[in-house]
Amino acid sequence: MTNLRVLVADDNEDHLFLTVRALQEVPDVDLEIETVTDGEQALGAVYGDRPPHLILLDLKMPKVNGLEVLERIKSDTSMRKIPVVILTSSERPEDVDAAYRLGSNSYVTKPSTGAGLREGLRRVSSYWT
């Protein structure tokens, strides 16, 4: 069984709940999931005692937005190896371009329906874990 630490950063409590639930449904992986609701907390978790193996990051968060978090992580040689998956509702081409330019490993747009969101999160979780 694989052991992974996953950081989920999203200011929407419903999306956090659904993301964690989808991660917990991935078979044969023992996940330690940490959730945060703003970019400042996300950076604190990344630079804490036990950095995550994977980060699921929303773009539109308070205090420090997701692109700023991504830029700080990917510009740090000791942290840039951590995969960062942007998981956001933004379909704006400039957000997609900025995320990839800053080093995002993947960009996933959240589906608008609850069922679509659950299925999309299940696929993202299975792929990245």
Side-chain angles (χ1 to χ4, degrees), residues 29-44:
V29 180
D30 182 24
L31 296 177
E32 179 183 323
I33 303 168
E34 181 175 359
T35 62
V36 296
T37 57
D38 66 53
E40 191 173 275
Q41 293 172 346
L43 289 169

Side-chain angles (χ1 to χ4, degrees), residues 4 6 8 18 21 24 26 33 53-54 56 69 71 75 79 81 88 100 112 118:
L4 292 174
V6 179
V8 181
L18 292 171
R21 192 162 191 180
Q24 290 170 336
V26 176
I33 303 168
H53 294 108
L54 171 66
L56 301 180
V69 172
E71 182 174 27
S75 65
M79 296 295 165
K81 68 183 183 302
T88 186
Y100 281 121
S112 58
R118 277 191 304 278

Side-chain angles (χ1 to χ4, degrees), residues 74-101:
K74 294 300 184 173
S75 65
D76 183 334
T77 56
S78 66
M79 296 295 165
R80 73 169 51 134
K81 68 183 183 302
I82 300 171
V84 178
V85 176
I86 301 299
L87 188 59
T88 186
S89 56
S90 174
E91 295 179 356
R92 295 175 28 174
E94 52 270 24
D95 287 340
V96 176
D97 291 344
Y100 281 121
R101 183 176 33 78

